[in-house]
Amino acid sequence: MSDNDVAAKPKTRSKPKLQRPKLYKVILVNDDYTPREFVVMVLKAVFRMSEETGYRVMMTAHRLGTSVVVVCARDIAETKAKEATDLAKEAGYPLLFTTEPEE
Ligand code: TYC
């Protein structure tokens, strides 16, 4: 066996693999002031939910404090959360939508 005849060592990867962009949750936060019907209206208008799904998501936040509305790309999550929160602010309600990265 000559000196050059060594088994090829697998190259260590110099470039990290491209990661999928992180997904973000839009979270609906409960409060004591916003009417239930208004919350459902915002969920239907901004997140294109049906009456039934909107009601279920609203009631989850009402009972537990928060509810996940949707999981999507960060820019979409932030835009929708702001749009929904702004709609409530214009109507004089403290309703809040936040975003957080998915685990
Ligand atoms: N808790 C509100 C009420 O009783 C209704 C409500 C539900 C408000 C969900 C916000 O994210 C919310 N009028």
Side-chain angles (χ1 to χ4, degrees):
M1 201 208 271
S2 83
D3 282 351
N4 298 334
D5 200 12
V6 288
K9 196 174 149 209
K11 278 198 187 126
T12 50
R13 187 182 286 275
S14 53
K15 210 167 48 171
K17 255 194 197 154
L18 281 179
Q19 296 292 315
R20 276 180 205 287
K22 216 182 222 174
L23 291 176
Y24 279 68
K25 297 184 277 194
V26 174
I27 301 195
L28 170 64
V29 181
N30 185 40
D31 67 73
D32 291 339
Y33 304 101
T34 310
R36 294 181 184 195
E37 313 78 62
F38 186 87
V39 180
V40 176
M41 185 279 284
V42 171
L43 290 171
K44 288 165 73 176
V46 177
F47 299 96
R48 304 266 165 245
M49 283 187 183
S50 66
E51 178 76 27
E52 293 70 28
T53 305
Y55 186 80
R56 189 169 48 73
V57 170
M58 179 279 295
M59 284 309 292
T60 300
H62 179 72
R63 291 190 177 119
L64 305 179
T66 57
S67 178
V68 176
V69 177
V70 69
V71 176
C72 58
R74 181 180 190 171
D75 56 342
I76 297 172
E78 288 174 349
T79 302
K80 294 258 173 191
K82 181 172 190 311
E83 203 178 317
T85 301
D86 286 351
L87 258 186
K89 198 184 282 178
E90 277 166 33
Y93 296 126
L95 182 63
L96 180 63
F97 290 81
T98 61
T99 62
E100 66 173 58
E102 205 187 37
E103 309 75 53

